[in-house]
Amino acid sequence: MPTKRVVIVGGGVSAKHCAEVVLKQGKDKVDVTVIQANRFVEWSLASATAFVDPSCHPRFLSTDCTKFEAKGATYTYATAEGVDMENKQVRLSSGAAPETFDALVVATGFALPLFYPRLGVSVHERIAEVKLVANAISKAACVVIGGGGLIALELAGDIRAHYADKTIILICRSGILTQWPDDFRQKVHDRMTKMSIQVVTAAFDAPKQPALEPGTITVGDKQINYDAYFPAFAQGPNTQFLQDVPGLLDSKGQIDVNEFLQSKACPEVFAVGVSNAPEPFVGMAKLDAQWTSVAGNVVAMLANQPLKQHKEGASFMKLPPVVLLGHGPKGYGFLDFANLPPPLKAAAVADGVAGLAVHPAGLVVLVVAAVLVPWAIAVAPQRARARQRYLVRCYKSSQAFISAAWADGRGTAAADHELRICVQRRRQNSGNDVDLCFGVAAASVAAWASFSTLAWVHEAWILPACLDKAHCHTEH
């Protein structure tokens, strides 16, 4: 039987792990080629941190992209510019020879100017871009951020954590976190008010391109002058190179797929993270299941076997469980209990019963986790009083953690050796009672993560650990 060719377009986690699963399941019957636009690897989810402190950018950046290549796959470093479905070829930039495929997987992620590097840029250009953004923020008296979602809130919090005197304004259509319950939104909004982060709500289209020079935005009948403007909202999937294929994309630029995450118009095309699959959000918890389903169905299709219906990953999770308002001593984090992974939720329940203490029942959870996961993080129990918050101190850089997780598809060994979390308590005179010990939460998340791949090392859990000796206030 002749070897089948699988081409995967994308340079992130989804593309890498999809390639690994295809190679594992297809064995010696498939050849896998990954088309990656940039010759470097960046953990772009940490961009907000790097924008206010560019000295930490190297921790989230590797100039040696070969370290993160899927073993056994062939890599072509070029930008996909189009697809010829008749000849089953992907056209590439810079006059490179087209890549022929029997199956095509699109895992290109979403467009987010500045936060994600532009396709095809060099690592030196990316480093210079991050420094340019950081310089613009440091000089600005007023920073305006477009959007009211997780990325916008995180950037606003990071700027406030580093600069106490700047005016920070979020402009958004319907307020912040529109998918979350009203009581949760109000809690976050109140904290933003205490952090002197303004929110302006109006029905208008925020500019999609950043501006690092002074300018003005008209919001309704109000003129807002800024020194730097950042659009912090996703601008659709990176599927422009597929626009000429009839019927492949829907009106939002997403690949129109069936229950197998397979294109309805072109059965040879599959999508990871860039389709109109009916899932509540695009995040690592969902992408893990998607690349697994796609890889299995690609191999099945090429072998003329029945395809399996995709099942949503972490179906209990309808929203990202963590909302961050920056990092460091002045940052703040919110845990959405309803969307926490079950082990973490169980630990939270046990801790809540104890009245802000690590209850013995909570320790049972940790003991079980330690049996199942040898590297589960140990947290010493401490009695706590009402109206206390916990500080999480993360030692060492997360660079080795991220690198090892990328390299072997899991975060287990790296978490054991490179990430140590200890819990300190600090009494505060104001604020809501905390029903969740973040130490137990961190250990439970680590245990839950081990059962899957890097998918569970979600930005919500990785980013608080991205800086040496970083502190993170948490609230449930």
Side-chain angles (χ1 to χ4, degrees), residues 125-262:
E125 291 172 321
R126 177 57 175 167
I127 292 172
E129 183 177 53
V130 170
K131 290 180 178 179
L132 187 65
V133 171
N135 184 58
I137 291 175
S138 67
K139 292 181 177 180
C142 176
V143 178
V144 173
I145 301 170
L150 297 178
I151 299 172
L153 268 60
E154 185 176 332
L155 178 61
D158 272 322
I159 295 175
R160 173 58 70 230
H162 282 72
Y163 301 103
D165 57 343
K166 295 187 185 300
T167 299
I168 304 172
I169 303 174
L170 260 68
I171 54 174
C172 42
R173 280 182 174 274
S174 306
I176 63 170
L177 303 175
T178 55
Q179 294 176 288
W180 274 258
D182 289 342
D183 57 343
F184 188 85
R185 296 176 64 193
Q186 188 60 51
K187 185 186 296 187
V188 178
H189 191 280
D190 291 346
R191 174 53 52 180
M192 294 176 69
T193 300
K194 292 180 181 179
M195 296 174 71
S196 298
I197 299 173
Q198 303 176 38
V199 178
V200 176
T201 302
F204 83 112
D205 292 328
K208 293 184 177 181
Q209 294 302 318
L212 304 183
E213 299 292 338
T216 302
I217 293 179
T218 302
V219 181
D221 57 356
K222 185 178 182 180
Q223 297 278 342
I224 299 178
N225 297 319
Y226 61 79
D227 297 300
Y229 166 76
F230 300 97
F233 51 88
Q235 300 181 18
N238 290 315
T239 56
Q240 296 84 352
F241 70 102
L242 300 172
Q243 289 178 345
D244 294 335
V245 181
L248 188 59
L249 305 179
D250 65 10
S251 59
K252 296 181 179 180
Q254 300 170 322
I255 297 178
D256 188 20
V257 297
N258 56 24
E259 67 273 24
F260 310 119
L261 298 182
Q262 177 187 40

Side-chain angles (χ1 to χ4, degrees), residues 314-319 321 335-353 361-362 365 435-437 440-445 448 461 476:
S315 58
F316 62 86
M317 189 181 293
K318 302 305 179 185
L319 292 168
L335 295 173
D336 182 359
F337 183 84
N339 289 289
L340 293 177
L344 192 149
K345 189 178 294 186
V349 171
D351 190 51
V353 172
V365 175
D435 297 326
L436 180 62
C437 170
V440 176
S444 301
V445 170
W448 187 254
W461 315 114
H476 162 56

Side-chain angles (χ1 to χ4, degrees), residues 376-459:
I377 304 169
V379 181
Q382 296 185 22
R383 275 289 170 185
R385 297 181 181 180
R387 310 187 72 79
Q388 288 181 336
R389 290 192 175 85
Y390 290 85
L391 296 178
V392 176
R393 175 166 292 175
C394 303
Y395 292 95
K396 296 187 177 181
S397 166
S398 65
Q399 181 184 25
F401 178 46
I402 295 172
S403 299
W406 273 75
D408 65 7
R410 303 176 69 87
T412 54
D416 186 34
H417 294 100
E418 298 298 335
L419 186 61
R420 293 181 295 158
I421 297 179
C422 67
V423 178
Q424 295 180 339
R425 65 182 187 180
R426 184 180 74 174
R427 184 176 303 173
Q428 294 187 341
N429 296 323
S430 62
N432 297 326
D433 291 347
V434 182
D435 297 326
L436 180 62
C437 170
F438 200 75
V440 176
S444 301
V445 170
W448 187 254
S450 70
F451 294 111
S452 184
T453 60
L454 182 60
W456 280 108
V457 190
H458 187 269
E459 62 266 31

Side-chain angles (χ1 to χ4, degrees), residues 23 65 78 95 108 124 209 230 261 264 295 304 324 367 407 415-416 441 466:
L23 287 166
C65 53
T108 47
H124 300 293
Q209 294 302 318
F230 300 97
L261 298 182
K264 295 177 181 178
N304 295 318
L324 293 176
V367 170
D416 186 34
C466 280

